[in-house]
Amino acid sequence: HVQLVESGGGSVQTGGSLIISCAISGSASGSNSVGWFRQAPGEERKGVASKHLTGGHTYYSDAVQDRFTISWDNAKNTVYLRMSNLKPEDTAMYYCAAGWFVPRGADQALALSSYNYWGQGTQVTVS
């Protein structure tokens, strides 16, 4: 049974910070890449951050570069997304994802099609 369970979403003021997490269990726990995606109302789901667990490489979208940090706790099988200097345009449902691939670059690392497993999402609202 595959499970990706996000937590930590909520409401925050512009300029504030928030950490969301995603606990991975079941078959997905053997994945070698994890990522965070977000989807605002009326928009497509887009990749914001990815981490290759074996090589350690991280990738970020231009919209969040230098503000968001993705990290992985191997002991807890949990991926985190630390978000700083939040803006209203960061408001979205955030989804974690896991997959088996070696990223060749940001385009692949942040592509929905690269991932095999998805969480249910956690809402982040910035106002």
Side-chain angles (χ1 to χ4, degrees):
H1 181 59
V2 176
Q3 277 194 314
L4 286 79
V5 181
E6 299 99 335
S7 61
S11 297
V12 63
Q13 292 185 338
T14 299
S17 298
L18 195 65
I19 298 174
I20 55 178
S21 62
C22 173
I24 301 176
S25 61
S27 300
S29 62
S31 300
N32 64 356
S33 289
V34 290
W36 285 98
F37 293 73
R38 68 186 183 186
Q39 186 169 19
E43 297 186 9
E44 296 181 348
R45 190 174 301 188
K46 299 176 182 177
V48 296
S50 174
K51 184 175 181 65
H52 184 227
L53 302 183
T54 304
H57 292 96
T58 56
Y59 304 87
Y60 298 94
S61 69
D62 290 342
V64 307
Q65 182 75 46
D66 298 326
R67 298 190 299 120
F68 288 14
T69 303
I70 185 172
S71 62
W72 170 256
D73 186 328
N74 196 52
K76 297 181 179 180
N77 262 12
T78 298
V79 56
Y80 301 90
L81 186 68
R82 176 177 174 82
M83 303 177 287
S84 303
N85 190 22
L86 283 160
K87 306 174 181 179
E89 51 264 43
D90 294 319
T91 295
M93 185 72 78
Y94 283 73
Y95 299 89
C96 70
W100 294 284
F101 66 96
V102 178
R104 303 304 181 192
D107 287 347
Q108 181 186 18
L110 300 178
L112 277 73
S113 59
S114 296
Y115 294 84
N116 306 93
Y117 303 106
W118 293 85
Q120 294 300 307
T122 186
Q123 178 68 37
V124 173
T125 302
V126 185
S127 60

